[in-house]
Amino acid sequence: MDADQGGTVHVEEIFNALQVAVVDVLARMAMTEAVFVHREKLPRFRLDQEAGGMVRLTGSQEGMIGITSPLGVVREIVSRIVSLPADQLTGEDLMDGIAELANMIGGGTKSNAGLTNVKVSTPMAMVGKELLAEWKTDRHTERFVFQVDDGVLYVLAAL
Amino acid sequence: MKLLTIDDSRTIRRVISGIGAMLGYEVLEAENGEAGLKVLEQFAHEVGLVLLDWNMPGMIGLDVLKAIKADRRWQHIPVMMVTTEGEKDYIVKSIQAGACHYQTKPFTQEEMATRIMEAMGMGGV
């Protein structure tokens, strides 16, 4: 039986599945080690770094999963994924790259948590200085902080 | 022989193009299903494998797969699904519609290279 056919998957299980997905996506696609540092509850779902991407979950589990990070970190990760020098990447490349990262992390979370009856939306992404995007939500929102090389990747979930 | 990657993510198209080039293949790219079918109209006789995303704006991958397998001009071309959807139901639907391989994202370069070589009838690396 799939996990969400026998009842609701506990949010904490999905948070665990999310952390596994982040480490797996970065290791396999970017050959980058993501080390979990800590997590914190947030009052809102906010992408407040220079680059951000997110997907929505609909179905038996509703919510949002997003990533946000300084541009230099995203540039390095995308550079490793596409095997191109970081200084050759355009804004379009970075936007598509962070969108695809959000897509794979969202998809990986769904698979890891056995959320068979959940649909992951196509991703949206933003890149720009002084970026600030916020969604008001009454869902349980947490931010997970990962160390990647010399930078920090923030992963958010509102479930 | 060419490969055709149909994916709305230029990141994934680039990754697959790089792996294909490493294996000695020219890789054609299309950013959606409709564009992919147009590429097939032009290059069907040269394409040895289609690598197809599932979730795309417009035609979803499953519909593109069905369209490929319904047209006798290119129904012989093997299709590999490349998608974040890892559930059994998606895999079964893909195989029933005629896909020969199923690769979930994320993947390592080695995993994808092995899949491509298997699909091209060359065994693993």
Side-chain angles (χ1 to χ4, degrees):
Chain A
M1 179 181 290
D2 296 311
D4 64 341
Q5 288 179 342
T8 304
V9 177
H10 194 277
V11 166
E12 195 58 35
E13 292 176 47
I14 303 175
F15 284 151
N16 290 338
L18 170 63
Q19 291 179 66
V20 173
V22 171
V23 172
D24 188 41
V25 167
L26 288 172
R28 297 173 87 178
M29 296 301 297
M31 290 174 286
T32 296
E33 184 180 19
V35 179
F36 172 71
V37 179
H38 72 274
R39 55 187 277 189
E40 56 196 345
K41 285 189 179 174
L42 295 181
R44 58 188 71 85
F45 188 96
R46 175 184 272 192
L47 305 181
D48 56 5
Q49 299 292 312
E50 293 171 325
M54 65 164 286
V55 292
R56 285 186 175 275
L57 307 181
T58 54
S60 61
Q61 175 67 57
E62 306 262 329
M64 296 180 283
I65 290 174
I67 56 175
T68 186
S69 188
L71 207 49
V73 174
V74 174
R75 189 180 290 280
E76 189 58 38
I77 291 171
V78 175
S79 164
R80 291 186 185 186
I81 292 174
V82 299
S83 302
L84 284 175
D87 59 6
Q88 287 185 17
L89 298 175
T90 66
E92 283 285 321
D93 295 332
L94 299 178
M95 199 146 61
D96 188 88
I98 197 164
E100 188 57 27
L101 282 170
N103 183 44
M104 287 188 284
I105 290 170
T109 303
K110 174 187 166 182
S111 294
N112 294 344
L115 299 171
T116 309
N117 297 319
V118 168
K119 181 168 174 48
V120 179
S121 74
T122 51
M124 60 86 70
M126 295 168 291
V127 172
K129 289 199 181 300
E130 299 181 30
L131 168 68
L132 188 62
E134 181 176 294
W135 288 262
K136 295 191 187 318
T137 176
D138 56 0
R139 296 187 177 276
H140 182 170
T141 303
E142 294 219 14
R143 182 167 77 166
F144 299 81
V145 182
F146 289 87
Q147 182 77 35
V148 286
D149 296 328
D150 295 329
V152 175
L153 178 73
Y154 300 100
V155 180
L156 296 99
L159 301 170
Chain B
M1 192 63 76
K2 295 178 169 61
L3 311 180
L4 168 60
T5 171
I6 305 174
D7 198 307
D8 60 315
S9 166
R10 63 195 284 168
T11 304
I12 295 299
R13 296 199 305 271
R14 273 188 173 166
V15 171
I16 290 174
S17 291
I19 295 168
M22 186 180 69
L23 295 172
Y25 297 110
E26 181 182 343
V27 182
L28 306 171
E29 298 184 21
E31 64 180 344
N32 57 53
E34 292 85 351
L37 294 174
K38 283 183 182 169
V39 171
L40 278 181
E41 284 189 6
Q42 192 175 353
F43 295 101
H45 57 292
E46 298 177 62
V47 173
L49 174 66
V50 176
L51 299 104
L52 178 60
D53 186 19
W54 187 296
N55 292 316
M56 295 183 286
M59 287 179 82
I60 64 166
L62 184 64
D63 290 340
V64 179
L65 172 61
K66 288 176 179 173
I68 290 171
K69 293 303 172 184
D71 193 316
R72 66 175 57 183
R73 290 176 294 172
W74 44 69
Q75 61 187 188
H76 62 282
I77 300 174
V79 177
M80 180 195 305
M81 301 304 293
V82 182
T83 173
T84 57
E85 301 289 356
E87 288 78 26
K88 188 171 65 178
D89 186 46
Y90 285 83
I91 298 171
V92 169
K93 282 179 180 169
S94 298
I95 300 301
Q96 287 175 338
C100 68
H101 285 79
Y102 197 98
Q103 175 63 54
T104 54
K105 305 177 203 172
F107 52 79
T108 65
Q109 291 197 359
E110 290 74 18
E111 287 169 341
M112 178 55 79
T114 300
R115 286 285 188 184
I116 290 173
M117 293 187 74
E118 287 173 353
M120 297 294 283
M122 299 166 66
V125 290

